[in-house]
Amino acid sequence: MELKELLEHLNRGERVINGSEAHRSMSAAAYEAMELTARLNSGCHGPDQIQALFSMIIGKSVDRAFTLFPPFYTDFGKNITVGKGVFINSGCRFQDQGGITIGEGSLIGHNVVPATLNHELDPDRRKDMHPAPIVIGKRVWIGSSVTVCPGVTIGDGAVVAAGAVVTRDVPCNTVAGGVPARKLKDAGQRTGAAAPV
């Protein structure tokens, strides 16, 4: 299965049946992603080199204002879209088969895991997968060690506190935290201290 066809399959949210052509194509893409991330994560690279390698991983050019601090990991890579001025801190692990979109000016903290695949609940079909996209809006701040679950949208201007597990949508301009994450307050309220990230 060609990459374009695979991406269409995934972006429609169709089940990936274990051993199917889509599954085999997804696995082949994973090996390419592992090779490219190994190059990104070895040695010390300047910003231009990091941007070039990340662009190879995702299969499209990134803006010159894009910043990434390696190491960075992905087991697919070809379904990531980042806006202008996005910053991704070290240790992040993107499971992007279902699609990860990050809006301009957003900040992604250390060790964040956006995961876009769920496995089948039926034990006899457990290796089948269900993709669902993650959409992170503009000027979002995601704190360290946050997990974002499949199908979640985080609205523009939102903040997600460190260690949160985001299982449902986060409205625009709110601060969310906890396990599972819930609204704590409106973003932009001046309290003299930053959010607990």
Side-chain angles (χ1 to χ4, degrees):
M1 179 179 283
E2 296 294 322
L3 179 61
K4 181 179 183 291
E5 186 181 355
L6 175 61
L7 286 170
E8 289 170 353
H9 180 96
L10 294 168
N11 291 334
R12 286 192 301 266
E14 293 181 20
R15 175 191 295 212
V16 178
I17 297 170
N18 182 48
S20 68
E21 184 180 4
H23 184 255
R24 290 191 303 272
S25 296
M26 205 166 69
S27 295
Y31 286 103
E32 180 183 343
M34 285 188 280
E35 178 184 344
L36 291 169
T37 54
R39 288 173 57 190
L40 173 68
N41 296 333
S42 63
C44 185
H45 305 291
D48 291 345
Q49 293 171 304
I50 291 171
Q51 289 171 354
L53 286 165
F54 190 82
S55 294
M56 290 173 64
I57 290 167
I58 69 172
K60 54 186 92 89
S61 295
V62 295
D63 185 83
R64 300 273 303 152
F66 171 78
T67 304
L68 169 73
F69 288 173
F72 171 83
Y73 304 94
T74 179
D75 57 1
F76 188 65
K78 300 304 184 197
N79 213 359
I80 299 170
T81 301
V82 295
K84 182 178 180 179
V86 166
F87 171 73
I88 300 173
N89 218 326
S90 62
C92 291
R93 297 174 183 272
F94 282 27
Q95 184 195 56
D96 65 289
Q97 289 85 344
I100 296 171
T101 301
I102 305 174
E104 68 178 60
S106 288
L107 310 173
I108 310 299
H110 293 93
N111 304 313
V112 169
V113 179
T116 65
L117 289 177
N118 271 321
H119 284 276
E120 179 62 47
L121 292 178
D122 177 356
D124 294 332
R125 306 293 304 184
R126 185 64 45 86
K127 290 186 177 181
D128 291 359
M129 293 167 277
H130 299 273
I134 290 172
V135 178
I136 298 168
K138 297 176 182 178
R139 299 174 315 281
V140 170
W141 176 18
I142 299 182
S144 297
S145 300
V146 168
T147 298
V148 183
C149 293
V152 165
T153 294
I154 299 174
D156 293 350
V159 176
V160 180
V165 177
V166 187
T167 60
R168 59 181 177 229
D169 292 353
V170 176
C172 296
N173 300 311
T174 60
V175 177
V179 180
R182 61 181 174 76
K183 179 181 175 181
L184 302 175
K185 64 181 180 178
D186 291 328
Q189 292 177 341
R190 300 209 180 265
T191 61
V197 294

